[in-house]
Amino acid sequence: MNNRYVYGIIDGEPVEFDAQAVGGADRVYTISHRRLGAVVSDIETTDPEETDEDATRHDEVLRTVMDFDGGRPVVPMQYGMAFESDRALKNVLRGARPAFRRALNDVEDRVELGVKIVRDEDAVVDADEIDATVESRLEPIAAQSVPNDLFSDRLVLNRSYLVERDEREMFDEAVARFEDDHDDLTVQYSGPFAPYSFVDVAIGAQR
């Protein structure tokens, strides 16, 4: 397996660990250019099929990196990014270095958390009032937030939040208090995730 599957980009010391990785690989390691490093595993193809199992493995590798040595910032790549050679990957790290550095600074010591609020089947709710209440309780704690699609008519709110690790407990408590105050709503609270929603770095062709 000579190709390199990329999970994300880190700064500083490389990481290496055993894992159930994408495509059946069992080792995750770093390919570096100067201080930037791509967290990779070996893979047989540059066009991996996205299965539920491998998508989960992709996310679990990123979580491991985020917790490595007490916590590491990582710029996550979307599923499926793979390169035919180390040289091609290092060229990308070189060319996109300023963008990666900015993104790493933006997400340092921060995690992504997801909040979905679902109304009970027969409940009549004021979506604007709920949105305002959530904004007043969660936005002051979060560093950033972005809206996501309301893909169901019962989904009242769907947002991703970028939260400082040190503020995580406060954010957890604010979410719990909101749920306690609203019997006709269900809060689906998820994470922490690598900060997919808060980085946007294009890294070129998979060659």
Side-chain angles (χ1 to χ4, degrees):
M1 293 192 292
N2 295 322
N3 304 302
R4 306 290 179 259
Y5 180 90
V6 183
Y7 299 89
I9 307 301
I10 60 173
D11 185 23
E13 293 298 317
V15 301
E16 183 173 357
F17 52 89
D18 295 332
Q20 291 186 331
V22 171
D26 58 10
R27 184 174 72 97
V28 173
Y29 60 99
T30 306
I31 293 175
S32 298
H33 170 70
R34 298 172 70 175
R35 286 187 55 84
L36 284 182
V39 179
V40 305
S41 60
D42 297 337
I43 195 168
E44 292 179 350
T45 177
T46 57
D47 187 23
E49 178 184 358
E50 183 172 1
T51 65
D52 290 343
E53 184 178 53
D54 273 345
T56 298
R57 289 172 172 174
H58 180 99
D59 287 340
E60 287 176 348
V61 166
L62 283 168
R63 284 195 179 98
T64 300
V65 174
M66 290 169 63
D67 292 335
F68 204 86
D69 284 344
R72 296 286 298 272
V74 58
V75 175
M77 296 293 103
Q78 297 294 334
Y79 182 93
M81 188 65 66
F83 289 79
E84 291 180 350
S85 69
D86 293 357
R87 178 179 179 182
L89 182 50
K90 288 182 179 181
N91 285 340
V92 165
L93 292 177
R94 182 183 301 112
R97 184 171 181 272
F100 284 133
R101 296 289 300 174
R102 286 193 297 270
L104 283 162
N105 287 336
D106 288 343
V107 301
E108 186 170 6
D109 294 326
R110 294 170 172 174
V111 297
E112 179 171 328
L113 302 168
V115 177
K116 295 183 179 72
I117 297 177
V118 184
R119 65 173 177 83
D120 291 349
E121 188 169 355
D122 297 324
V124 177
V125 300
D126 185 334
D128 290 338
E129 181 181 345
I130 291 168
D131 192 72
T133 301
V134 171
E135 181 177 356
S136 69
R137 296 189 183 188
L138 300 187
E139 295 290 342
I141 306 172
Q144 297 180 48
S145 73
V146 293
N148 300 310
D149 291 340
L150 299 177
F151 52 82
S152 164
D153 60 0
R154 290 176 54 197
L155 190 57
V156 181
L157 180 140
N158 183 12
R159 295 189 74 87
S160 296
Y161 295 87
L162 188 66
V163 178
E164 300 278 354
R165 290 178 185 268
D166 291 345
E167 302 293 335
R168 171 70 191 279
E169 184 175 353
M170 184 184 301
F171 195 87
D172 293 349
E173 292 171 352
V175 172
R177 283 197 301 272
F178 177 88
E179 186 166 28
D180 289 343
D181 291 344
H182 295 81
D183 293 335
D184 53 355
L185 300 172
T186 298
V187 177
Q188 298 175 356
Y189 184 34
S190 56
F193 305 112
Y196 290 103
S197 302
F198 301 95
V199 296
D200 183 18
V201 182
I203 66 172
Q206 298 170 301
R207 294 290 184 268

